[in-house]
Amino acid sequence: MRALPLTAALACLALSACGGGTKYRPVSDTPVRIGPSYQVRGERYTPRAQPDYDMLGYAAWYGSESGSQTANGEKFHPAWITAAHRDLPLPTYVEVTALDTGRRILVRVNDRGPFAARSRIIDLSRGAAEELGIRAKGVAAVRVRRVEPEAKDRERLREGKPARKLPAIDSRALGNLQRQFERGVGAL
């Protein structure tokens, strides 16, 4: 009879050794990581502090990498409202505006990319693309602007939930952004 508890204990110990795997960093806003320069496909990128970041370009979305590790060490969740950016500090919060509708959302940047095309300035998670209303398009014209959201919005985004709904920008401001985009002006 004594062998049964010992056998069970050894089996549990053996199984626990198999539970290794990736050690993910907890979802947190600290420390903010700027990081060293890095190279992808022969192109060098240098992350840097950019408090006034405000750009026009294209956004695409990604989501098949569920469970992968993001560039800042967190676990990637496709349904969360996150994004990848080539050189903003990690994490950074941005407001993303769809230039066809004026719809705006807050997004937490916790990964690196996009690397497919220079005109793509951000890759949104599937959840962020759905929240912005651009998932079906695949690629959409956007404005990406660095922001400092309220503590409640940061908390919601860190928990994988959308931040509060932002009103769409007014038609006059949207028209101005669309004209800038059409002229090819990358920085506002």
Side-chain angles (χ1 to χ4, degrees), residues 154-170:
R154 288 173 177 259
E155 182 179 353
R156 289 187 59 78
L157 289 167
R158 283 193 309 269
E159 293 172 349
K161 302 171 189 162
R164 66 185 156 84
K165 281 214 177 285
L166 299 175
I169 62 172
D170 67 69

Side-chain angles (χ1 to χ4, degrees), residues 15-102:
L15 288 173
S16 70
C18 297
T22 305
K23 298 286 186 198
Y24 297 108
R25 177 178 178 248
V27 177
S28 174
D29 284 348
T30 58
V32 173
R33 298 173 183 201
I34 294 178
S37 292
Y38 64 98
Q39 192 168 341
V40 175
R41 299 181 188 149
E43 180 97 21
R44 179 152 302 280
Y45 301 97
T46 304
R48 60 195 184 283
Q50 300 177 68
D52 298 326
Y53 184 88
D54 195 342
M55 295 288 290
L56 297 173
Y58 289 100
W61 66 272
Y62 64 119
S64 60
E65 300 85 357
S66 182
S68 296
Q69 191 168 33
T70 64
N72 75 340
E74 298 170 359
K75 184 176 183 178
F76 175 66
H77 300 277
W80 288 24
I81 313 302
T82 60
H85 192 277
R86 289 186 281 267
D87 54 23
L88 284 172
L90 301 177
T92 293
Y93 290 89
V94 294
E95 177 187 280
V96 182
T97 305
L99 295 185
D100 61 343
T101 64

Side-chain angles (χ1 to χ4, degrees), residues 146-182:
R146 187 181 177 283
V147 295
E148 292 291 335
E150 297 174 5
K152 285 182 180 181
D153 288 329
R154 288 173 177 259
E155 182 179 353
R156 289 187 59 78
L157 289 167
R158 283 193 309 269
E159 293 172 349
K161 302 171 189 162
R164 66 185 156 84
K165 281 214 177 285
L166 299 175
I169 62 172
D170 67 69
S171 59
R172 186 174 185 177
L174 181 59
N176 184 38
L177 290 173
Q178 290 167 338
R179 284 187 294 281
Q180 287 181 52
F181 183 84
E182 289 166 6

